[in-house]
Amino acid sequence: MSEDQRKMLLALQVADFNVIEWVLYMHTHPDDLVGCQKKKEAMKIAAKTRKSYEALYGPLTFLTPISCTKKNETPWPWHV
């Protein structure tokens, strides 16, 4: 795994963690409109980061749609 790939994967992990934190916060503060907006922003950032990573290095999960005719040449994250 290249250093750039490691950095992008770490950025994705941070973004996903941020989403989880906001979701948990919203469970205890359901009326916080600012928190709700921050959760939505965090979700957009995580989705954008995931899309960028997958465009460069391939899918992260089996839930990511890929072409049936295109073989993924890159290893899955748990293979590296």
Side-chain angles (χ1 to χ4, degrees):
M1 178 182 287
S2 71
E3 189 62 28
D4 289 338
Q5 185 177 4
R6 280 187 201 283
K7 287 179 182 178
M8 189 173 268
L9 191 57
L10 178 61
L12 178 57
Q13 290 170 334
V14 169
D16 283 345
F17 180 82
N18 197 20
V19 169
I20 292 168
E21 288 294 304
W22 279 111
V23 168
L24 292 173
Y25 174 82
M26 291 308 298
H27 280 290
T28 58
H29 300 79
D31 298 327
D32 186 349
L33 297 178
V34 174
C36 183
Q37 186 61 35
K38 290 189 182 253
K39 180 188 85 167
K40 288 179 184 178
E41 291 171 18
M43 291 174 80
K44 286 180 185 178
I45 290 169
K48 183 179 176 185
T49 306
R50 180 173 289 99
K51 186 174 181 179
S52 296
Y53 180 92
E54 289 180 339
L56 290 171
Y57 303 110
L60 287 164
T61 69
F62 290 112
L63 301 175
T64 304
I66 58 172
S67 170
C68 292
T69 58
K70 180 183 173 192
K71 183 180 180 229
N72 183 19
E73 292 86 23
T74 59
W76 290 89
W78 53 86
H79 289 150
V80 291

